[in-house]
Amino acid sequence: MTIKKITDKLLNLDNFITITLIGVSLFNFVSTTIEVIINKKLTFYDSAIVKSLNVTASEHSDKFAIFITNFGGILTSTIIIILLITILLYYRKYKDSLFIIMVTSGGYILFNSLKLIINRERPIVNTSLIEASGYSYPSGHATISTCLYGALIYLTYKYIKNTHVKIIIILILSILILLIGASRVYLGVHYPSDVFAGINLGIFWLSLNIYIYKHINQKQIIKIKKLTEF
């Protein structure tokens, strides 16, 4: 088997995985949204989970949850995005910079727009560990952290050559996304379904941008190859 055939197979596999993620995440988000709007039982179970976590909260776990949740906040996310774009621009990775901007800014607009459309109120708990304004569904922290750290996972997969380092970074970032989502439920500012929907919305938007990003790159490669043939 030639190198070209191996490369083509890998590209086809990557495209299949990306398209599958787009479809599955969109289905999960839409089905959960329908359940939230129509099925009151989901809200009942959501409330029960939030209240049980709030009752069993401890001082150490509170501090850890607040520390973790900040990684999905606007301030921390903005600082990371600016630093990341600055580094990418320094190394002349203009397409990667644009990719980060599209994924994060688009994700922010997307979840805020959906919050205004769905209008789900936040959970009511006895002890509020942090203050959160606006509507609850979907979780903005879950969406943005999935978009931002998911984009970092993609760039890690793309650029890091050492397999062990690559796996470690991807695992850390994946766990961070899940912990940020879990912290929102623990702190009593989101229902589990808010977080689940936010993560799926983030995966959908991230995967869609990856597909577009790769498609544009492939088109440019074909153009370069045609020019070199003359």
Side-chain angles (χ1 to χ4, degrees), residues 18-134:
T18 306
I19 292 168
T20 301
L21 284 172
I22 291 170
V24 171
S25 58
L26 182 60
F27 174 81
N28 286 338
F29 178 77
V30 171
S31 58
T32 306
T33 303
I34 293 169
E35 286 290 317
V36 165
I37 295 170
I38 298 172
N39 191 349
K40 300 300 179 184
K41 286 184 179 179
L42 179 60
T43 303
F44 171 78
Y45 291 125
D46 273 345
S47 299
I49 292 169
V50 172
K51 286 177 182 177
S52 65
L53 285 173
N54 195 247
V55 169
T56 57
S58 66
E59 185 181 351
H60 294 296
S61 56
D62 290 352
K63 288 179 180 178
F64 179 73
I66 292 169
F67 171 74
I68 287 294
T69 206
N70 286 330
F71 282 94
I74 294 174
L75 179 60
T76 307
S77 297
T78 303
I79 291 170
I80 293 171
I81 290 165
I82 292 170
L83 286 173
L84 183 58
I85 290 171
T86 303
I87 293 167
L88 289 170
L89 288 175
Y90 176 79
Y91 286 103
R92 298 183 180 180
K93 301 292 183 182
Y94 304 116
K95 291 171 191 172
D96 293 332
S97 301
L98 181 61
F99 169 69
I100 294 294
I101 293 168
M102 289 299 294
V103 170
T104 53
S105 61
Y108 183 81
I109 294 168
L110 204 55
F111 85 73
N112 271 302
S113 301
L114 287 164
K115 278 178 183 284
L116 294 174
I117 294 168
I118 297 166
N119 292 343
R120 190 189 200 187
E121 296 297 335
R122 291 186 183 272
I124 299 172
V125 294
N126 296 326
T127 307
S128 180
L129 297 173
I130 60 172
E131 291 184 7
S133 58

Side-chain angles (χ1 to χ4, degrees), residues 127-145:
T127 307
S128 180
L129 297 173
I130 60 172
E131 291 184 7
S133 58
Y135 293 109
S136 184
Y137 187 95
S139 167
H141 277 64
T143 305
I144 286 299
S145 61

Side-chain angles (χ1 to χ4, degrees), residues 166-228:
K166 183 186 292 188
I167 290 170
I168 290 168
I169 294 173
I170 290 172
L171 279 174
I172 290 171
L173 291 172
S174 299
I175 291 168
L176 180 60
I177 293 168
L178 294 175
L179 285 175
I180 290 169
S183 71
R184 303 305 288 170
V185 179
Y186 176 88
L187 293 168
V189 292
H190 278 295
Y191 294 110
S193 55
D194 296 337
V195 171
F196 180 74
I199 290 174
N200 276 281
L201 181 64
I203 292 171
F204 164 74
W205 183 245
L206 171 66
S207 301
L208 184 63
N209 275 271
I210 288 172
Y211 183 80
I212 294 168
Y213 172 86
K214 285 161 62 178
H215 186 65
I216 291 170
N217 279 351
Q218 285 174 4
K219 275 191 172 181
Q220 289 177 340
I221 290 167
I222 291 167
K223 284 182 181 179
I224 292 167
K225 283 183 177 179
K226 283 182 179 179
L227 287 171
T228 55

